[in-house]
Amino acid sequence: RQFRGVSGALQAIASMPDFLRQMEAVHAAADAVVSANAQYSEVTFAADEARSNGDYARYNTLRQQTEAKGRQYQESVIARERSREAFIRQLKRTPDARTLDNASLIYIAEWIERRVRHHPEKLTAAGQAASLFQNLAAQFEAAEKAAGAAQ
């Protein structure tokens, strides 16, 4: 079953004409979360420092900024998850890919992306690998049936 899942993921990836663009969008959404978190942390630290120093006017201003940065962070997390979910839905259009969990699908996509990022023409190899995994899955299934029949 796992071989079929990997095969399905590879088939889905190989059939995406804009695979690298979609991966860039997923990464950009993740980067936005990191950036928003860093901004939130900086403002929170500055607000805590102002409060500790007794600068309550500055503290109140920074507290409002903290709330705004907190909302920005939450929104970026939601956007990241939507981006990942949309990408995973595309992968799961291939029935065999549905047998894998979302983390495995993302892992396979990132693995392929690292190998084809600078050579997009090599994406066709993912389709060839999908065929190999499909054949391997069939061989294991046949061996399993034969072993079950022998018992």
Side-chain angles (χ1 to χ4, degrees):
R1 190 177 126 160
Q2 292 288 352
F3 288 119
R4 287 207 183 276
V6 172
S7 173
L10 292 170
Q11 285 174 334
I13 290 166
S15 68
M16 284 184 189
D18 59 347
F19 168 72
L20 290 173
R21 186 197 58 75
Q22 288 189 43
M23 288 301 295
E24 286 173 14
V26 169
H27 292 308
D31 290 346
V33 170
V34 172
S35 176
N37 185 39
Q39 292 172 24
Y40 174 76
S41 296
E42 287 175 19
V43 172
T44 300
F45 178 78
D48 288 345
E49 190 174 55
R51 185 182 58 200
S52 295
N53 293 336
D55 188 351
Y56 294 107
R58 185 167 189 266
Y59 169 74
N60 288 331
T61 300
L62 290 169
R63 195 76 208 138
Q64 290 173 348
Q65 289 177 12
T66 300
E67 290 172 12
K69 294 296 180 185
R71 284 189 300 276
Q72 182 183 9
Y73 174 68
Q74 289 174 334
E75 291 168 4
S76 67
V77 168
I78 291 167
R80 177 195 62 196
E81 292 309 306
R82 285 184 179 149
S83 175
R84 287 172 57 96
E85 288 170 8
F87 180 73
I88 289 168
R89 272 194 308 276
Q90 279 209 279
L91 292 176
K92 287 185 174 182
R93 288 182 184 167
T94 303
D96 286 338
R98 294 179 200 142
T99 63
L100 296 178
D101 60 58
N102 293 353
S104 296
L105 290 170
I106 291 291
Y107 177 83
I108 292 168
E110 288 176 339
W111 190 86
I112 294 295
E113 179 200 21
R114 286 190 302 273
R115 278 138 188 87
V116 303
R117 183 179 300 134
H118 300 295
H119 305 284
E121 70 278 1
K122 292 185 178 182
L123 191 56
T124 57
Q128 295 165 349
S131 295
L132 293 173
F133 274 96
Q134 192 73 13
N135 292 339
L136 193 57
Q139 289 176 12
F140 271 95
E141 289 165 1
E144 185 178 15
K145 285 180 185 177
Q151 293 178 0

